[in-house]
């Protein structure tokens, strides 16, 4: 074999996908899980390699959420939820916990305008007495895909064209035309909330289903919601052009100036809860990130309030080096088998180690504010002063005690080792319900954005047909309006 025949060049691409080592990939749509729902198996080499490579695509800027602003404050419990969780920071009303929050846009670079239509990040780090707890969420309660193995692809589709460095709608629609579950997130992306007025007037969602555990170890599924006390406000397309033309960091400035003036932004934390024993009763999978839980069945329950009352002292130290990780939970709060969530548990810690180094949790903004100890030694940029002679466990010379047992979800996990999609998909019911809940003028703005997107000259008739079909399945009149007006536009 000529070792230079297949030198690195796209000219020698195979007609099928392979791993970096050249092995054929037979399924690039589903993670390897126990059964159809999860959890994910670490032996899925392709998933791990795909995520690990994706997280290293940008140096040193964040690969996503590069443009962001942070502020500090506190979270205060206002309602008793001790029957649901043994988390110390939620132990009783009145308890306050210091926090830092980072708001961000998702797709574009650090210098991009904050008026762009894009999901917004809403990440909260709680410095609790039992370690740090991170809710790494968005201003949409759902996401375009439901399996983490597709995350690099959906971001690649939204990122600028690698050839021209221009974001192009035809690439987004081409990719998502293979994923009907995207329609629910489009109901937010193309809605008014796609361009928030600023960060203070923006909702936040944990997106994923977490698991709460009380002192008895009883599990409860939970979703987290942040509601701004000053209300949700958005920019129209026309307003965004005007604002972005004068200040590309208007939301950052608004947040900073408001706190400096003593006008401290505040959000209420609400939760939705579900008994895991009842999860099969509904026409959707409660762990599916493309679905919401209907509030008439799962009402919002108040928990506490978040107040941001202090600006950060240094942008680089407390915004650029601020590192969130959804794997950071505390006793009384655990993960679920949500495939997106499971993939993020690996991806975030891995990307932070790449971006900031293996000791990123030593940086003051990321370090826990409670006493802590482990045997993680040395490594790049380790600045911990240590004098121990024993850096292993167990040891008779340094008999370190272990903490009390922490409750974890007790369910038995069974299933064949598989790569497959979940059984309950039901991609169009919830998007249709949301669309029909809007006033006519809001529906019209939504339709206009679809017309603009589907009128892109590089969007093929096949892709247009697919999305019109999906819009029709969401709501018959919606599909008819888009289809009719597209034909008129085509004739013009």
């Amino acid at each position: 074999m000529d070792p230079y025949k297949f030198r690195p060049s796209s000219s020698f691409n195979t007609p099928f996908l392979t791993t970096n080592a050249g092995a054929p990939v037979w399924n690039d749509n589903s993670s390897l899980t126990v059964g159809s729902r999860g959890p994910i198996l670490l032996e899925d080499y392709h998933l791990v390699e795909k995520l690990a490579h994706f997280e290293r695509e940008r140096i040193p800027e964040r690969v996503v959420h590069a443009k962001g602003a942070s502020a500090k404050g506190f979270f205060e419990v206002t309602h008793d939820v001790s029957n649901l969780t043994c988390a110390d920071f939620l132990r009783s009303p009145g308890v306050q916990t210091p926090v830092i929050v980072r708001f961000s846009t998702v797709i574009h670079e650090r210098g991009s305008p904050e008026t762009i239509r894009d999901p917004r990040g809403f990440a909260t780090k709680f410095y609790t007495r039992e370690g740090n707890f991170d809710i790494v969420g968005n201003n949409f309660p759902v996401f375009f895909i439901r399996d983490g193995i597709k995350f690099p692809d959906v971001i690649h589709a939204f990122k600028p064209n690698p050839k021209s460095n221009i974001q192009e709608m035809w690439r987004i629609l081409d990719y998502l035309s293979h994923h009907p579950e995207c329609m629910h997130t489009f109901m937010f992306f193309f809605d008014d909330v796609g361009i928030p007025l600023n960060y203070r007037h923006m909702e936040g969602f944990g997106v994923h289903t977490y698991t709460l555990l009380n002192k008895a170890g009883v599990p409860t599924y939970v979703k987290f919601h942040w509601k701004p006390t000053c209300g949700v406000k958005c920019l129209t397309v026309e307003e965004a052009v005007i604002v972005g033309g004068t200040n590309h960091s208007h939301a950052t400035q608004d947040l900073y100036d408001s706190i400096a003036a003593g006008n401290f932004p505040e959000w209420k934390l609400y939760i939705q809860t579900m008994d895991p024993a009842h999860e099969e009763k509904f026409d959707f999978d409660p762990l599916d990130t493309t679905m919401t839980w209907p509030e008439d069945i799962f009402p919002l329950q108040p928990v506490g309030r978040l107040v941001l009352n202090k600006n950060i002292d240094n942008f680089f130290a407390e915004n650029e080096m601020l590192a969130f990780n959804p794997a950071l939970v505390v006793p009384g709060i655990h993960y679920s088998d949500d495939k997106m969530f499971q993939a993020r548990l690996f991806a975030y810690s891995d990307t932070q180690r790449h971006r900031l180094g293996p000791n990123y949790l030593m940086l003051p903004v990321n370090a826990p504010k409670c006493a802590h100890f482990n045997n993680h030694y040395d490594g790049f940029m380790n600045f911990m002063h240590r004098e121990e002679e024993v850096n292993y466990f167990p040891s008779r010379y340094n008999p370190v005690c272990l903490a009390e047992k922490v409750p974890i979800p007790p369910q038995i996990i069974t299933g064949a080792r598989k790569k497959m999609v979940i059984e309950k998909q039901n991609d169009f019911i919830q998007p249709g319900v949301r669309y029909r809940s809007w006033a006519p003028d809001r529906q019209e703005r939504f339709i206009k954005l679809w017309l603009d997107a589907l009128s892109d000259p590089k969007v093929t008739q096949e892709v247009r047909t697919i999305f019109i079909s999906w819009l029709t399945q969401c709501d018959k009149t919606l599909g008819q309006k888009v289809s009719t007006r597209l034909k008129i536009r085509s004739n013009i």
Side-chain angles (χ1 to χ4, degrees), residues 35 54 79 115 136 138 176 185 204 215 229 285 302 312 316 370 372 396 398 402 421 459:
F54 169 70
H79 292 72
T115 50
V136 191
N138 287 333
L176 290 176
T185 306
K215 291 180 180 179
T229 58
D285 190 324
I312 56 176
F316 183 77
C370 59
H372 58 286
R396 291 184 173 85
N398 184 25
L402 293 176
V421 298
V459 173

Side-chain angles (χ1 to χ4, degrees), residues 113-156:
E114 291 172 328
T115 50
I116 201 162
R117 183 170 298 276
D118 198 16
R120 265 55 172 184
F122 191 128
T124 309
K125 186 182 293 291
F126 300 79
Y127 299 106
T128 87
R129 301 193 306 184
E130 295 180 309
N132 292 352
F133 169 48
D134 289 0
I135 299 179
V136 191
N138 287 333
N139 69 321
F140 301 165
V142 288
F143 198 62
F144 288 101
I145 53 170
R146 56 169 61 102
D147 193 315
I149 199 170
K150 304 304 296 180
F151 187 75
D153 299 296
V154 70
I155 297 300
H156 282 168

Side-chain angles (χ1 to χ4, degrees), residues 304-361:
R305 67 188 188 115
L306 168 70
V307 179
L308 298 181
N309 59 6
K310 187 178 188 305
N311 280 312
I312 56 176
D313 300 313
N314 180 275
F315 186 80
F316 183 77
E318 295 181 296
N319 185 78
E320 294 305 290
M321 293 205 296
L322 175 58
F324 291 93
N325 184 352
L328 300 183
V329 294
V330 293
I333 302 177
H334 202 72
Y335 324 117
S336 71
D337 292 343
D338 164 11
K339 294 184 185 183
M340 279 288 293
F341 201 171
Q342 292 268 315
R344 292 178 81 199
L345 301 183
F346 161 76
Y348 275 69
S349 54
D350 187 53
T351 197
Q352 304 299 8
R353 284 189 288 266
H354 162 65
R355 193 172 67 87
L356 299 171
N359 292 300
Y360 74 96
L361 287 173

Side-chain angles (χ1 to χ4, degrees), residues 2 44 122 302 307 382:
D2 181 357
D44 191 343
F122 191 128
V307 179
N382 188 316

Side-chain angles (χ1 to χ4, degrees), residues 1 16 44 59 118 125 193 207 232 243 295 342 358 368 383 392 413 437 476-478 490:
M1 178 185 294
F16 53 84
D44 191 343
I59 300 174
D118 198 16
K125 186 182 293 291
V193 296
V207 181
V232 176
V243 173
E295 292 182 14
Q342 292 268 315
F383 49 87
Y392 47 84
I413 299 172
S437 71
K476 188 174 181 179
T477 60
L478 169 62
S490 297

Side-chain angles (χ1 to χ4, degrees), residues 241-260:
V241 171
I242 296 171
V243 173
T246 58
N247 185 353
H248 76 293
S249 297
H250 80 284
T252 296
Q253 182 172 354
D254 174 82
L255 179 68
Y256 190 93
D257 290 350
S258 296
I259 295 174

